[in-house]
Amino acid sequence: VVGPTGIRRTTDSGATFSGVKGKAVAKAKLFGARQAGSTIIAYGSKSLIRSTNAGKSWTALKLPRVKNS
């Protein structure tokens, strides 16, 4: 479960959830996520984080820069 400030993860088909710990997740303000296999991308207006192990650990990613004309 994503947002608004963090991620909660289940390992028992949704019977219980626990908060995911770590710097990348703790500071992220999130509102959505997408999954492809064991990779999950969670995002917010100023946050982008990735897990490559089904949500066990997370890494902050740099947001793309907006080019001003």
Side-chain angles (χ1 to χ4, degrees):
V1 179
V2 173
T5 54
I7 296 175
R8 296 186 64 79
R9 183 173 182 268
T10 184
T11 57
D12 55 12
S13 300
T16 61
F17 288 83
S18 58
V20 174
K21 296 178 181 166
K23 185 178 176 182
V25 175
K27 295 187 176 199
K29 296 192 186 316
L30 306 166
F31 56 74
R34 296 291 182 262
Q35 181 176 1
S38 62
T39 299
I40 306 167
I41 302 290
Y43 52 88
S45 60
K46 295 183 179 182
S47 301
L48 184 62
I49 59 175
R50 175 186 63 199
S51 173
T52 57
N53 56 10
K56 292 177 187 172
S57 62
W58 293 84
T59 303
L61 302 174
K62 290 185 179 184
L63 290 172
R65 290 187 185 183
V66 176
K67 198 173 194 179
N68 294 330
S69 300

